[in-house]
Amino acid sequence: MLILYGGKRSPFARRVAISLGLQGLPFERRPVDLFGADFESFRAHNPLSRVPVLSTSDGDLIETAAIIDYLETTVPPAQRLLPAPGPERIACLQSIALATAIAEKGVAYVYETERRPPALVWSEWVDRLTAQLGQGLLALEARTPADGWFGGDQPDGADAAVVAAVDFLGTITGLADRPPTPRLAALADRSRSLAAFASTHPQA
């Protein structure tokens, strides 16, 4: 049995969880408290004590992109979530890259506004992160299909990354000045009709 370590709120752990669900791979999800008791002990799985980690028969795998690559190369072709090499794959990977960057900026925003003592919050950095998130979301909105999925009739790796990032931003209180992104909102809503997305939602 595959074991996925990572908190429900982590957009990176959720991207892996969505991918596993879309590929029909059974797995166990184990939460990790890296801001508490699990930080030291988790080095046994990742020397940096960070998630996600996927425990497999080939050992513990770290870093989201490397885990996704492992899944793509170990499942049958029909279960792969990335297009074959060519223009479609390039477009898919660019959407994933943009969604990943947005998720990373969102995590930085959380650390600055939720983890740092209020008196030490760097307001200029918060403003910079807010601006980057806004521009990133507008760029991602322009790439998002009006209906259906990034993958066409079925969701692909871009859908997993984009929905994970968008839903994660929805968990952040006080994130002001988010631009209107109706296509992203509609995609996130559509995703909840599928178990791979609904069962891994941060509010599930």
Side-chain angles (χ1 to χ4, degrees):
M1 171 72 75
L2 297 170
I3 301 174
L4 175 61
Y5 295 92
K8 290 178 64 176
R9 193 182 184 190
S10 167
F12 310 111
R14 188 177 178 220
R15 179 186 166 197
V16 175
I18 293 170
S19 298
L20 289 164
L22 291 175
Q23 291 172 324
L25 299 174
F27 68 99
E28 176 186 346
R29 193 165 182 183
R30 292 187 186 175
V32 180
D33 181 12
L34 294 181
F35 288 95
D38 296 327
F39 181 73
E40 296 294 337
S41 62
F42 200 67
R43 288 178 185 161
H45 297 286
N46 183 341
L48 297 175
S49 291
R50 60 184 263 167
V51 294
V53 169
L54 185 67
S55 288
T56 75
S57 59
D58 295 310
D60 288 339
L61 307 180
I62 68 171
E63 297 302 315
T64 308
I67 294 170
I68 296 296
D69 185 72
Y70 172 85
L71 297 176
E72 286 291 299
T73 56
T74 54
V75 298
Q79 293 172 250
R80 292 174 185 164
L81 300 177
L82 298 179
E88 290 184 1
R89 187 183 185 92
I90 293 172
C92 179
L93 291 178
Q94 285 300 294
S95 295
I96 290 172
L98 186 53
T100 300
I102 289 169
E104 289 170 346
K105 292 299 177 181
V107 169
Y109 186 98
V110 167
Y111 286 171
E112 186 67 28
T113 61
E114 297 182 17
R115 296 292 180 181
R116 190 181 297 277
L120 300 179
V121 170
W122 185 9
S123 60
E124 291 86 353
W125 179 234
V126 173
D127 291 343
R128 171 70 67 90
L129 291 170
T130 301
Q132 289 177 305
L133 284 168
Q135 292 301 312
L137 286 168
L138 287 175
L140 194 56
E141 171 79 1
R143 302 179 69 95
T144 302
D147 51 34
W149 308 97
F150 278 90
D153 293 336
Q154 299 292 330
D156 66 4
D159 293 287
V162 170
V163 171
V166 170
D167 284 344
F168 167 65
L169 295 185
T171 71
I172 303 175
T173 58
L175 180 55
D177 300 323
R178 284 181 59 180
T181 51
R183 289 191 176 195
L184 286 171
L187 177 70
D189 286 342
R190 285 195 298 276
S191 74
R192 300 187 79 165
S193 67
L194 298 180
F197 293 92
S199 64
T200 61
H201 194 280
Q203 298 177 346

Short mmCIF file of all heavy atoms in Angstrom, two decimals, residues 150-201:
data_model
loop_
_atom_site.label_atom_id
_atom_site.label_comp_id
_atom_site.label_asym_id
_atom_site.label_seq_id
_atom_site.Cartn_x
_atom_site.Cartn_y
_atom_site.Cartn_z
N PHE A 150 -8.62 20.86 -18.25
CA PHE A 150 -7.38 21.10 -18.96
C PHE A 150 -7.06 19.91 -19.85
O PHE A 150 -6.52 20.06 -20.94
CB PHE A 150 -6.22 21.33 -17.98
CG PHE A 150 -6.12 22.72 -17.45
CD1 PHE A 150 -6.79 23.08 -16.29
CD2 PHE A 150 -5.36 23.68 -18.10
CE1 PHE A 150 -6.69 24.37 -15.79
CE2 PHE A 150 -5.26 24.97 -17.61
CZ PHE A 150 -5.94 25.32 -16.45
N GLY A 151 -7.39 18.72 -19.36
CA GLY A 151 -7.11 17.50 -20.10
C GLY A 151 -8.14 17.15 -21.14
O GLY A 151 -8.07 16.09 -21.77
N GLY A 152 -9.15 18.01 -21.38
CA GLY A 152 -10.18 17.73 -22.37
C GLY A 152 -11.38 17.06 -21.71
O GLY A 152 -12.02 17.64 -20.83
N ASP A 153 -11.67 15.83 -22.13
CA ASP A 153 -12.82 15.12 -21.58
C ASP A 153 -12.57 14.61 -20.16
O ASP A 153 -13.51 14.39 -19.40
CB ASP A 153 -13.19 13.92 -22.47
CG ASP A 153 -13.71 14.35 -23.84
OD1 ASP A 153 -14.21 15.49 -23.94
OD2 ASP A 153 -13.60 13.55 -24.79
N GLN A 154 -11.30 14.43 -19.82
CA GLN A 154 -10.94 13.92 -18.50
C GLN A 154 -9.86 14.82 -17.88
O GLN A 154 -9.03 15.38 -18.61
CB GLN A 154 -10.39 12.49 -18.61
CG GLN A 154 -11.37 11.48 -19.19
CD GLN A 154 -12.55 11.22 -18.27
OE1 GLN A 154 -12.43 11.32 -17.05
NE2 GLN A 154 -13.70 10.90 -18.85
N PRO A 155 -9.87 14.96 -16.56
CA PRO A 155 -8.83 15.78 -15.93
C PRO A 155 -7.45 15.17 -16.09
O PRO A 155 -7.30 13.95 -16.14
CB PRO A 155 -9.25 15.83 -14.45
CG PRO A 155 -10.15 14.64 -14.27
CD PRO A 155 -10.83 14.43 -15.59
N ASP A 156 -6.45 16.04 -16.18
CA ASP A 156 -5.07 15.57 -16.30
C ASP A 156 -4.22 16.18 -15.18
O ASP A 156 -4.76 16.70 -14.20
CB ASP A 156 -4.50 15.87 -17.69
CG ASP A 156 -4.34 17.36 -17.96
OD1 ASP A 156 -4.60 18.19 -17.05
OD2 ASP A 156 -3.94 17.72 -19.08
N GLY A 157 -2.92 16.11 -15.33
CA GLY A 157 -2.03 16.62 -14.30
C GLY A 157 -2.17 18.10 -14.05
O GLY A 157 -1.97 18.57 -12.92
N ALA A 158 -2.51 18.86 -15.08
CA ALA A 158 -2.71 20.30 -14.90
C ALA A 158 -3.93 20.56 -14.02
O ALA A 158 -3.90 21.43 -13.14
CB ALA A 158 -2.88 21.00 -16.25
N ASP A 159 -5.00 19.82 -14.23
CA ASP A 159 -6.19 19.98 -13.38
C ASP A 159 -5.87 19.70 -11.93
O ASP A 159 -6.31 20.42 -11.03
CB ASP A 159 -7.31 19.05 -13.87
CG ASP A 159 -7.84 19.43 -15.23
OD1 ASP A 159 -8.55 20.44 -15.32
OD2 ASP A 159 -7.52 18.72 -16.20
N ALA A 160 -5.07 18.65 -11.67
CA ALA A 160 -4.70 18.31 -10.30
C ALA A 160 -3.93 19.46 -9.65
O ALA A 160 -4.21 19.86 -8.52
CB ALA A 160 -3.87 17.03 -10.28
N ALA A 161 -2.95 20.01 -10.36
CA ALA A 161 -2.12 21.07 -9.80
C ALA A 161 -2.91 22.36 -9.62
O ALA A 161 -2.77 23.06 -8.60
CB ALA A 161 -0.91 21.30 -10.70
N VAL A 162 -3.71 22.71 -10.61
CA VAL A 162 -4.45 23.97 -10.57
C VAL A 162 -5.50 23.96 -9.45
O VAL A 162 -5.60 24.90 -8.65
CB VAL A 162 -5.10 24.26 -11.93
CG1 VAL A 162 -6.08 25.44 -11.83
CG2 VAL A 162 -4.04 24.55 -12.98
N VAL A 163 -6.27 22.89 -9.38
CA VAL A 163 -7.31 22.82 -8.35
C VAL A 163 -6.68 22.80 -6.95
O VAL A 163 -7.18 23.45 -6.03
CB VAL A 163 -8.22 21.60 -8.56
CG1 VAL A 163 -9.15 21.39 -7.37
CG2 VAL A 163 -9.04 21.77 -9.83
N ALA A 164 -5.58 22.08 -6.79
CA ALA A 164 -4.91 22.04 -5.49
C ALA A 164 -4.47 23.45 -5.07
O ALA A 164 -4.61 23.84 -3.91
CB ALA A 164 -3.71 21.10 -5.54
N ALA A 165 -3.94 24.22 -6.02
CA ALA A 165 -3.49 25.58 -5.70
C ALA A 165 -4.66 26.49 -5.38
O ALA A 165 -4.64 27.25 -4.40
CB ALA A 165 -2.68 26.14 -6.86
N VAL A 166 -5.71 26.45 -6.22
CA VAL A 166 -6.86 27.35 -6.04
C VAL A 166 -7.57 27.05 -4.72
O VAL A 166 -7.91 27.97 -3.96
CB VAL A 166 -7.82 27.22 -7.23
CG1 VAL A 166 -9.14 27.95 -6.95
CG2 VAL A 166 -7.18 27.77 -8.50
N ASP A 167 -7.81 25.79 -4.43
CA ASP A 167 -8.50 25.45 -3.19
C ASP A 167 -7.65 25.80 -1.97
O ASP A 167 -8.18 26.18 -0.92
CB ASP A 167 -8.86 23.96 -3.17
CG ASP A 167 -10.05 23.64 -4.04
OD1 ASP A 167 -10.78 24.56 -4.44
OD2 ASP A 167 -10.26 22.44 -4.34
N PHE A 168 -6.32 25.67 -2.09
CA PHE A 168 -5.45 26.05 -0.99
C PHE A 168 -5.58 27.54 -0.69
O PHE A 168 -5.70 27.95 0.48
CB PHE A 168 -4.00 25.71 -1.30
CG PHE A 168 -3.01 26.35 -0.38
CD1 PHE A 168 -2.97 26.00 0.96
CD2 PHE A 168 -2.12 27.31 -0.83
CE1 PHE A 168 -2.07 26.61 1.84
CE2 PHE A 168 -1.21 27.90 0.02
CZ PHE A 168 -1.19 27.56 1.37
N LEU A 169 -5.59 28.38 -1.71
CA LEU A 169 -5.74 29.82 -1.49
C LEU A 169 -7.06 30.13 -0.79
O LEU A 169 -7.14 31.08 -0.02
CB LEU A 169 -5.66 30.58 -2.81
CG LEU A 169 -4.33 30.54 -3.56
CD1 LEU A 169 -4.38 31.45 -4.77
CD2 LEU A 169 -3.16 30.93 -2.65
N GLY A 170 -8.06 29.30 -1.03
CA GLY A 170 -9.35 29.50 -0.38
C GLY A 170 -9.32 29.25 1.11
O GLY A 170 -10.25 29.63 1.83
N THR A 171 -8.26 28.62 1.61
CA THR A 171 -8.14 28.37 3.06
C THR A 171 -7.45 29.51 3.79
O THR A 171 -7.37 29.49 5.02
CB THR A 171 -7.34 27.07 3.34
OG1 THR A 171 -5.95 27.28 3.03
CG2 THR A 171 -7.88 25.91 2.54
N ILE A 172 -6.94 30.49 3.05
CA ILE A 172 -6.15 31.56 3.66
C ILE A 172 -7.07 32.72 4.03
O ILE A 172 -7.70 33.32 3.16
CB ILE A 172 -5.05 32.06 2.70
CG1 ILE A 172 -4.14 30.91 2.28
CG2 ILE A 172 -4.24 33.16 3.37
CD1 ILE A 172 -3.11 31.30 1.24
N THR A 173 -7.15 33.02 5.30
CA THR A 173 -7.95 34.15 5.74
C THR A 173 -7.16 35.44 5.57
O THR A 173 -5.94 35.47 5.77
CB THR A 173 -8.35 33.99 7.22
OG1 THR A 173 -7.17 33.86 8.01
CG2 THR A 173 -9.21 32.75 7.42
N GLY A 174 -7.85 36.48 5.18
CA GLY A 174 -7.20 37.78 5.06
C GLY A 174 -6.42 38.00 3.79
O GLY A 174 -5.70 38.99 3.67
N LEU A 175 -6.54 37.09 2.82
CA LEU A 175 -5.84 37.28 1.55
C LEU A 175 -6.66 38.26 0.71
O LEU A 175 -7.63 37.88 0.04
CB LEU A 175 -5.66 35.95 0.83
CG LEU A 175 -4.93 35.99 -0.52
CD1 LEU A 175 -3.56 36.65 -0.37
CD2 LEU A 175 -4.78 34.58 -1.09
N ALA A 176 -6.28 39.52 0.75
CA ALA A 176 -7.07 40.57 0.11
C ALA A 176 -6.67 40.77 -1.34
O ALA A 176 -5.65 40.27 -1.81
CB ALA A 176 -6.87 41.88 0.88
N ASP A 177 -7.51 41.49 -2.03
CA ASP A 177 -7.20 41.94 -3.40
C ASP A 177 -7.01 40.79 -4.38
O ASP A 177 -6.22 40.90 -5.33
CB ASP A 177 -5.95 42.83 -3.41
CG ASP A 177 -6.13 44.07 -2.55
OD1 ASP A 177 -7.26 44.60 -2.53
OD2 ASP A 177 -5.17 44.48 -1.90
N ARG A 178 -7.71 39.68 -4.16
CA ARG A 178 -7.66 38.62 -5.16
C ARG A 178 -8.52 39.02 -6.35
O ARG A 178 -9.68 39.42 -6.20
CB ARG A 178 -8.18 37.30 -4.58
CG ARG A 178 -7.20 36.61 -3.65
CD ARG A 178 -7.74 35.30 -3.13
NE ARG A 178 -8.04 34.38 -4.21
CZ ARG A 178 -8.54 33.15 -4.00
NH1 ARG A 178 -8.80 32.75 -2.78
NH2 ARG A 178 -8.78 32.36 -5.02
N PRO A 179 -7.99 38.94 -7.57
CA PRO A 179 -8.78 39.34 -8.73
C PRO A 179 -9.89 38.32 -9.00
O PRO A 179 -9.80 37.16 -8.59
CB PRO A 179 -7.74 39.33 -9.86
CG PRO A 179 -6.74 38.30 -9.43
CD PRO A 179 -6.66 38.44 -7.93
N PRO A 180 -10.95 38.73 -9.69
CA PRO A 180 -12.01 37.78 -10.05
C PRO A 180 -11.48 36.75 -11.05
O PRO A 180 -10.88 37.11 -12.06
CB PRO A 180 -13.09 38.68 -10.67
CG PRO A 180 -12.37 39.91 -11.12
CD PRO A 180 -11.24 40.10 -10.16
N THR A 181 -11.70 35.49 -10.74
CA THR A 181 -11.25 34.40 -11.61
C THR A 181 -12.38 33.39 -11.76
O THR A 181 -12.33 32.30 -11.19
CB THR A 181 -9.99 33.73 -11.03
OG1 THR A 181 -10.23 33.39 -9.65
CG2 THR A 181 -8.78 34.65 -11.10
N PRO A 182 -13.42 33.73 -12.54
CA PRO A 182 -14.60 32.86 -12.63
C PRO A 182 -14.31 31.49 -13.24
O PRO A 182 -14.93 30.50 -12.87
CB PRO A 182 -15.57 33.66 -13.50
CG PRO A 182 -14.71 34.65 -14.23
CD PRO A 182 -13.59 34.97 -13.31
N ARG A 183 -13.38 31.42 -14.19
CA ARG A 183 -13.08 30.12 -14.79
C ARG A 183 -12.40 29.20 -13.78
O ARG A 183 -12.70 28.00 -13.73
CB ARG A 183 -12.19 30.30 -16.03
CG ARG A 183 -12.91 30.93 -17.20
CD ARG A 183 -12.08 30.83 -18.47
NE ARG A 183 -12.81 31.35 -19.62
CZ ARG A 183 -12.46 31.14 -20.87
NH1 ARG A 183 -11.38 30.42 -21.15
NH2 ARG A 183 -13.17 31.63 -21.86
N LEU A 184 -11.49 29.74 -13.00
CA LEU A 184 -10.84 28.93 -11.98
C LEU A 184 -11.85 28.48 -10.93
O LEU A 184 -11.80 27.34 -10.47
CB LEU A 184 -9.70 29.72 -11.33
CG LEU A 184 -8.45 29.91 -12.18
CD1 LEU A 184 -7.50 30.90 -11.51
CD2 LEU A 184 -7.75 28.57 -12.41
N ALA A 185 -12.75 29.38 -10.55
CA ALA A 185 -13.77 29.02 -9.57
C ALA A 185 -14.67 27.92 -10.10
O ALA A 185 -15.02 26.98 -9.38
CB ALA A 185 -14.59 30.26 -9.19
N ALA A 186 -15.05 28.03 -11.37
CA ALA A 186 -15.91 27.00 -11.97
C ALA A 186 -15.19 25.66 -12.07
O ALA A 186 -15.79 24.60 -11.84
CB ALA A 186 -16.38 27.46 -13.35
N LEU A 187 -13.90 25.70 -12.41
CA LEU A 187 -13.12 24.45 -12.48
C LEU A 187 -13.07 23.79 -11.11
O LEU A 187 -13.25 22.57 -10.99
CB LEU A 187 -11.71 24.75 -12.99
CG LEU A 187 -10.76 23.54 -13.04
CD1 LEU A 187 -11.18 22.57 -14.13
CD2 LEU A 187 -9.32 24.00 -13.26
N ALA A 188 -12.81 24.59 -10.07
CA ALA A 188 -12.76 24.03 -8.72
C ALA A 188 -14.11 23.44 -8.33
O ALA A 188 -14.17 22.37 -7.71
CB ALA A 188 -12.34 25.11 -7.73
N ASP A 189 -15.19 24.10 -8.71
CA ASP A 189 -16.53 23.57 -8.41
C ASP A 189 -16.76 22.25 -9.16
O ASP A 189 -17.29 21.29 -8.58
CB ASP A 189 -17.60 24.58 -8.80
CG ASP A 189 -17.67 25.75 -7.83
OD1 ASP A 189 -17.15 25.63 -6.70
OD2 ASP A 189 -18.25 26.79 -8.21
N ARG A 190 -16.40 22.20 -10.44
CA ARG A 190 -16.59 20.97 -11.21
C ARG A 190 -15.79 19.82 -10.62
O ARG A 190 -16.22 18.67 -10.63
CB ARG A 190 -16.15 21.19 -12.67
CG ARG A 190 -17.09 21.99 -13.51
CD ARG A 190 -16.78 21.85 -15.00
NE ARG A 190 -15.47 22.32 -15.38
CZ ARG A 190 -15.17 23.59 -15.66
NH1 ARG A 190 -16.10 24.52 -15.55
NH2 ARG A 190 -13.95 23.94 -16.02
N SER A 191 -14.62 20.15 -10.12
CA SER A 191 -13.75 19.09 -9.63
C SER A 191 -14.37 18.31 -8.48
O SER A 191 -14.08 17.13 -8.29
CB SER A 191 -12.40 19.67 -9.20
OG SER A 191 -12.50 20.36 -7.97
N ARG A 192 -15.23 18.96 -7.72
CA ARG A 192 -15.80 18.30 -6.54
C ARG A 192 -16.82 17.22 -6.90
O ARG A 192 -17.31 16.51 -6.01
CB ARG A 192 -16.41 19.34 -5.61
CG ARG A 192 -15.38 20.35 -5.13
CD ARG A 192 -15.90 21.30 -4.08
NE ARG A 192 -15.93 20.66 -2.76
CZ ARG A 192 -16.05 21.34 -1.63
NH1 ARG A 192 -16.16 22.65 -1.65
NH2 ARG A 192 -16.08 20.72 -0.46
N SER A 193 -17.11 17.10 -8.19
CA SER A 193 -17.98 16.00 -8.62
C SER A 193 -17.22 14.69 -8.74
O SER A 193 -17.83 13.63 -8.91
CB SER A 193 -18.65 16.33 -9.96
OG SER A 193 -17.67 16.39 -11.00
N LEU A 194 -15.89 14.75 -8.66
CA LEU A 194 -15.06 13.56 -8.76
C LEU A 194 -14.43 13.24 -7.41
O LEU A 194 -13.93 14.14 -6.72
CB LEU A 194 -13.96 13.76 -9.80
CG LEU A 194 -14.42 14.01 -11.24
CD1 LEU A 194 -13.20 14.18 -12.16
CD2 LEU A 194 -15.31 12.89 -11.74
N ALA A 195 -14.42 11.97 -7.06
CA ALA A 195 -13.94 11.56 -5.74
C ALA A 195 -12.48 11.95 -5.50
O ALA A 195 -12.10 12.30 -4.38
CB ALA A 195 -14.13 10.06 -5.56
N ALA A 196 -11.66 11.87 -6.54
CA ALA A 196 -10.24 12.19 -6.37
C ALA A 196 -10.04 13.60 -5.86
O ALA A 196 -9.09 13.87 -5.10
CB ALA A 196 -9.50 12.01 -7.70
N PHE A 197 -10.92 14.51 -6.25
CA PHE A 197 -10.84 15.90 -5.79
C PHE A 197 -11.64 16.10 -4.50
O PHE A 197 -11.14 16.71 -3.55
CB PHE A 197 -11.38 16.85 -6.86
CG PHE A 197 -10.55 16.91 -8.10
CD1 PHE A 197 -10.82 16.09 -9.19
CD2 PHE A 197 -9.49 17.81 -8.21
CE1 PHE A 197 -10.06 16.15 -10.35
CE2 PHE A 197 -8.72 17.88 -9.37
CZ PHE A 197 -9.01 17.05 -10.44
N ALA A 198 -12.87 15.58 -4.47
CA ALA A 198 -13.75 15.83 -3.32
C ALA A 198 -13.20 15.23 -2.03
O ALA A 198 -13.24 15.86 -0.97
CB ALA A 198 -15.14 15.29 -3.61
N SER A 199 -12.67 14.02 -2.12
CA SER A 199 -12.21 13.33 -0.90
C SER A 199 -10.93 13.93 -0.35
O SER A 199 -10.57 13.67 0.81
CB SER A 199 -12.00 11.85 -1.19
OG SER A 199 -10.95 11.66 -2.13
N THR A 200 -10.21 14.71 -1.17
CA THR A 200 -8.95 15.30 -0.73
C THR A 200 -9.07 16.80 -0.46
O THR A 200 -8.07 17.44 -0.13
CB THR A 200 -7.85 15.07 -1.78
OG1 THR A 200 -8.25 15.72 -3.01
CG2 THR A 200 -7.63 13.59 -2.04
N HIS A 201 -10.26 17.35 -0.62
CA HIS A 201 -10.44 18.79 -0.42
C HIS A 201 -10.04 19.17 1.00
O HIS A 201 -10.29 18.40 1.94
CB HIS A 201 -11.90 19.18 -0.67
CG HIS A 201 -12.13 20.65 -0.82
ND1 HIS A 201 -12.22 21.50 0.27
CD2 HIS A 201 -12.28 21.44 -1.91
CE1 HIS A 201 -12.42 22.73 -0.15
NE2 HIS A 201 -12.46 22.73 -1.47
#
